[in-house]
Amino acid sequence: MNQRENFFAMIEGKKPEFIPNSMEVYKSCIAGTCITDSPLMGGVDSFGVNWVATKEGAMPEPNKFLFDEIADWKEHVHFADLDSLGIEAAAAKEMEDFNQNNRNELVVNVFSACGLFERMAAFMGFENALCSLVEDPDSCREFFEALADYRIACHNRFIDAYQPDVLTYFDDLATANGLFMSPKVYREVIKPSHQRIVEAVTSRGVIFSQHTCGKCEEIVGDYVEMGARIWHSAQSMNDLEGIQEKYNDRLIIEGGWDSSGPASYIGASTEDLIEEAKRCANVYGQKGNFILMPTLLNENGNSLFVGDPRLEPMLKAFNEINKL
Amino acid sequence: MEKVLIELQQAIENGETQIAMNKTKEALNYGIRTDKIIQTAVNPAFKDLGQKMFDGEIYVTDVLMASRAAHAAMYVMEPILSRSTGTSKGIVAIGTVAGDLHDIGKNLVIMMLQGSGYTVIDLGIDVPAETFIEAVRMHKPHVLALSSLLTTTLPELDSMMEALVEQGLRTQVKVIVGGAPVTAEYAGRIKADAYANDLFEATEAVGDLMKNRIGKYTV
Ligand code: B12
């Protein structure tokens, strides 16, 4: 089986031949979301929020907020006219060298960054955003509904432009120790709009992958129920084995890597990385519903963008022990 | 009279800012002293919250709302607190190390320390070693608290410790470190004085450092 066939075997609940890894199974596409949601290289986004680039990645300029009260969102939030952004041209450029043969080999995965909650935090800061969820849930719901409409429109454009197999939607809702908000608050305030976003993607025959870092296991069941088939970044502080046991072939766990642990420290040796990859393969890989996702930052930044000499030998070693 | 303190504690735990302010005023009207209010209502509220957070019963939103309520209570007491000298339990200078822009955790630690009666100097995010050094010289904090959320900025903690030694300041200030990738072992290796895993532990640890006590979080 090639990467694509092996991936779809997993999705269809059949037995894959090997444990895939996120660096080799996907053609990941980011140009669209860089225009509509978060400029990778920094700069002002389509909502007027300034992003600062750091060598590890970009984030909204700290302590500079568009507004403080979520009740005021309508005065400050203006959704861009999607016709004017050049999404299609950017997508075409990104897919320039990707031909039908590549499509038969790999899985096309379109990223959609800065989800509902993160966007709210980009406007008003994390602390304000979190307090608003509790203090003014009605305004939050109204804001999320409007934002979901925008995101759905963006996703439809991405789907038309890229013809992807998977769409990975990013929203960080958790810390290393637990959710930012209670599951009740998530379900009452965020989930209704989140659900519309998931359904709009799956209704077009595209696989929905949900990215949430940190310990978010309390709402992973909600993701599955809404129709997500992949949970992305699935970090090791969650009970990943229990979750794999529970959802079996209904959910693929993509992650496993201990991104705050010794294998991610600066100066970790190639052997440390191989060790971590092997641990993931042994502990999470055996049931055929796991994709290894190494998260590696180094002195120069995020290895995804700046590369890292340790990755190749690590993947080579992983691919020697990943047969099922 | 005790009832009002229990109600204040409850209001803080529930994150009810207005009630917390009212109950603090009521307590002051009864003639209850500010140190008693802090000791029997504010501190126990945080202790309870710490346990609940540890048990996974509450979330960051709850802690934020509680901190806001505690701040409101402190705000009501502020005029009296600042009149009576020596009420500050000590000075803590805190910042997120160079290259790292995460600040939610640091801000929670600050809220908690302030809520517990410390004077906190917030140096912000992406703080270079020179700024920390300057702050130690200028403010003479009892404790220097360093936060790092990225594995790539962990080496900044090492450099900070070295800079303190080089500048001859190491014996003047206790150092506590924290943030997701930091561990007690790491803190020990770089010869920090303490490590804490969350805002509640951090406050207990700072309390120990202040009193030169070997505590649970000393490394
Ligand atoms: C929220 C978040 C963000 C927000 C930050 C908003 C803000 N204003 O801070 C945003 C989205 C902007 C962001 C940006 C980035 N992030 Co980020 N982020 C997180 C996330 C999801 C939660 C962190 C958090 O705020 N937790 C909540 C607070 C309450 O917890 P805490 O910070 O751990 O703090 C507690 C304790 O640690 C302790 N503590 C903290 N500081 C101190 C200090 C002392 C002295 C003491 C005693 C205790 C203490 O007490 C606190 C309260 O209990 C983590 C995931 C995770 N697993 O932690 C990733 C995470 C930290 N981020 C990560 C990355 C890579 C980034 C980016 C580089 C990339 C990106 N574009 O996403 C940029 C950072 C750019 C930069 N140079 O700094 C990685 C780091 C990986 C690594 N190898 O180190 C993580 C682990 C996610 C992951 N799985 O990859 N992030």
Side-chain angles (χ1 to χ4, degrees), chain B residues 122-169:
Chain B
D122 181 8
L123 302 169
I125 49 176
D126 193 11
V127 181
E130 307 86 74
T131 309
F132 279 119
I133 295 290
E134 216 176 278
V136 172
R137 286 223 172 85
M138 191 153 84
H139 302 288
K140 309 218 172 340
H142 302 94
V143 176
L144 180 63
L146 308 172
S147 179
S148 170
L149 262 282
L150 295 171
T151 50
T152 46
T153 52
L154 280 179
E156 281 296 321
L157 297 177
D158 302 54
S159 322
M160 258 318 297
M161 299 308 295
E162 281 161 25
L164 284 171
V165 175
E166 274 165 23
Q167 300 291 322
L169 295 168

Side-chain angles (χ1 to χ4, degrees), chain A residues 54 56-60 118 126 172 174-176 180 213-214 235 237 259-260 264 295 297, chain B residues 60 99-106 108-109 145-147 149-152 176-180 196-199 202:
Chain A
T54 72
E56 288 87 3
M59 67 187 267
E118 276 188 47
F126 266 83
D172 272 335
T175 79
F180 276 130
C213 276
Q235 286 191 280
M237 67 283 272
S259 62
S260 293
S264 296
T295 325
L297 303 182
Chain B
V60 178
D100 188 351
L101 309 178
H102 290 86
D103 68 358
I104 307 175
K106 169 188 72 76
L108 281 178
V109 171
L146 308 172
S147 179
L149 262 282
L150 295 171
T151 50
T152 46
I176 180 168
V177 291
N197 186 43
D198 65 31
L199 64 159

Side-chain angles (χ1 to χ4, degrees), chain B residues 47-200:
Chain B
K47 219 174 160 154
D48 254 20
L49 288 165
Q51 189 56 46
K52 284 187 188 153
M53 181 120 172
F54 184 78
D55 295 337
E57 283 171 32
I58 58 167
Y59 300 86
V60 178
T61 41
D62 303 304
V63 180
L64 275 173
M65 297 299 290
S67 295
R68 286 196 173 183
H71 268 248
M74 296 302 278
Y75 178 77
V76 172
M77 291 186 275
E78 170 83 36
I80 305 166
L81 283 172
S82 52
R83 246 184 284 136
S84 50
T85 48
T87 44
S88 170
K89 282 203 214 157
I91 304 174
V92 182
I94 187 169
T96 304
V97 297
D100 188 351
L101 309 178
H102 290 86
D103 68 358
I104 307 175
K106 169 188 72 76
N107 292 351
L108 281 178
V109 171
I110 293 176
M111 287 186 192
M112 181 71 193
L113 287 171
Q114 286 175 335
S116 312
Y118 293 96
T119 303
V120 181
I121 295 152
D122 181 8
L123 302 169
I125 49 176
D126 193 11
V127 181
E130 307 86 74
T131 309
F132 279 119
I133 295 290
E134 216 176 278
V136 172
R137 286 223 172 85
M138 191 153 84
H139 302 288
K140 309 218 172 340
H142 302 94
V143 176
L144 180 63
L146 308 172
S147 179
S148 170
L149 262 282
L150 295 171
T151 50
T152 46
T153 52
L154 280 179
E156 281 296 321
L157 297 177
D158 302 54
S159 322
M160 258 318 297
M161 299 308 295
E162 281 161 25
L164 284 171
V165 175
E166 274 165 23
Q167 300 291 322
L169 295 168
R170 183 63 189 95
T171 52
Q172 292 178 29
V173 66
K174 296 272 200 269
V175 181
I176 180 168
V177 291
V182 188
T183 60
E185 196 221 319
Y186 196 93
R189 194 152 16 110
I190 62 170
K191 299 197 171 62
D193 298 298
Y195 157 79
N197 186 43
D198 65 31
L199 64 159
F200 302 103

Side-chain angles (χ1 to χ4, degrees), chain A:
Chain A
M1 284 184 195
N2 65 22
Q3 291 283 357
R4 184 179 174 86
E5 291 157 352
N6 189 66
F7 173 85
F8 276 98
M10 288 172 81
I11 286 286
E12 287 157 15
K14 297 181 193 138
K15 195 172 177 320
E17 271 177 12
F18 57 90
I19 312 167
N21 71 76
S22 56
M23 308 189 88
E24 293 178 317
V25 65
Y26 295 130
K27 158 76 179 167
S28 298
C29 309
I30 56 170
T33 198
C34 281
I35 295 175
T36 54
D37 306 296
S38 78
L40 186 67
M41 298 302 174
V44 179
D45 69 18
S46 68
F47 293 94
V49 171
N50 188 38
W51 290 64
V52 290
T54 72
K55 63 183 170 60
E56 288 87 3
M59 67 187 267
E61 185 176 340
N63 302 319
K64 196 163 166 225
F65 308 134
L66 236 54
F67 51 91
D68 295 320
E69 300 281 343
I70 190 64
D72 298 338
W73 73 268
K74 281 187 194 146
E75 282 167 45
H76 302 275
V77 178
H78 307 289
F79 296 104
D81 167 15
L82 294 184
D83 284 331
S84 68
L85 297 178
I87 299 169
E88 287 73 16
K93 184 152 196 312
E94 193 171 24
M95 299 303 274
E96 217 164 46
D97 299 328
F98 195 76
N99 57 30
Q100 191 55 46
N101 284 345
N102 300 131
R103 275 202 187 263
N104 297 337
E105 293 277 326
L106 296 178
V107 177
V108 177
N109 186 347
V110 165
F111 283 12
S112 171
C114 201
L116 295 172
F117 174 68
E118 276 188 47
R119 174 48 65 184
M120 183 163 152
F123 283 142
M124 56 194 297
F126 266 83
E127 284 160 34
N128 255 331
L130 286 169
C131 289
S132 305
L133 293 176
V134 181
E135 285 173 328
D136 191 357
D138 289 335
S139 299
C140 292
R141 266 190 291 264
E142 194 188 38
F143 165 73
F144 288 140
E145 280 298 311
L147 189 56
D149 289 339
Y150 170 78
R151 297 309 293 252
I152 290 169
C154 292
H155 290 168
N156 281 329
R157 295 248 174 176
F158 295 170
I159 292 171
D160 292 336
Y162 288 100
Q163 301 291 319
D165 304 294
V166 179
L167 185 142
T168 303
Y169 164 84
F170 288 71
D171 208 9
D172 272 335
L173 302 171
T175 79
N177 302 318
L179 287 172
F180 276 130
M181 70 294 289
S182 68
K184 182 167 179 286
V185 168
Y186 163 73
R187 285 172 194 143
E188 287 175 2
V189 187
I190 304 176
K191 190 177 172 185
S193 309
H194 192 180
Q195 178 144 18
R196 285 206 296 124
I197 291 178
V198 181
E199 284 166 2
V201 170
T202 53
S203 70
R204 296 207 49 190
V206 174
I207 296 164
F208 193 89
S209 166
Q210 172 69 39
H211 166 100
T212 306
C213 276
K215 189 167 166 152
C216 59
E217 58 196 5
E218 284 184 282
I219 56 170
V220 167
D222 297 73
Y223 295 170
V224 177
E225 175 204 303
M226 290 190 289
R229 295 294 315 278
I230 303 173
W231 168 29
H232 178 261
S233 112
Q235 286 191 280
S236 54
M237 67 283 272
N238 296 280
D239 176 16
L240 297 183
E241 291 167 86
I243 291 169
Q244 288 183 302
E245 192 74 45
K246 185 164 174 191
Y247 298 109
N248 235 317
D249 52 19
R250 289 166 64 202
L251 183 72
I252 292 173
I253 305 284
E254 179 172 347
W257 194 267
D258 184 3
S259 62
S260 293
S264 296
Y265 287 175
I266 297 264
S269 64
T270 305
E271 287 67 39
D272 293 336
L273 267 64
I274 292 176
E275 208 46 51
E276 177 61 4
K278 283 188 177 162
R279 181 191 71 80
C280 291
N282 291 334
V283 180
Y284 316 120
Q286 302 307 312
K287 295 190 188 69
N289 55 357
F290 177 69
I291 301 174
L292 175 76
M293 187 184 77
T295 325
L296 197 58
L297 303 182
N298 60 32
E299 293 84 348
N300 302 323
N302 190 327
S303 62
L304 279 181
F305 308 119
V306 299
D308 191 302
R310 296 167 299 174
L311 280 176
E312 202 187 299
M314 186 272 281
L315 287 180
K316 187 162 173 281
F318 177 74
N319 285 335
E320 277 161 18
I321 54 121
N322 70 344
K323 305 295 173 291
L324 290 169

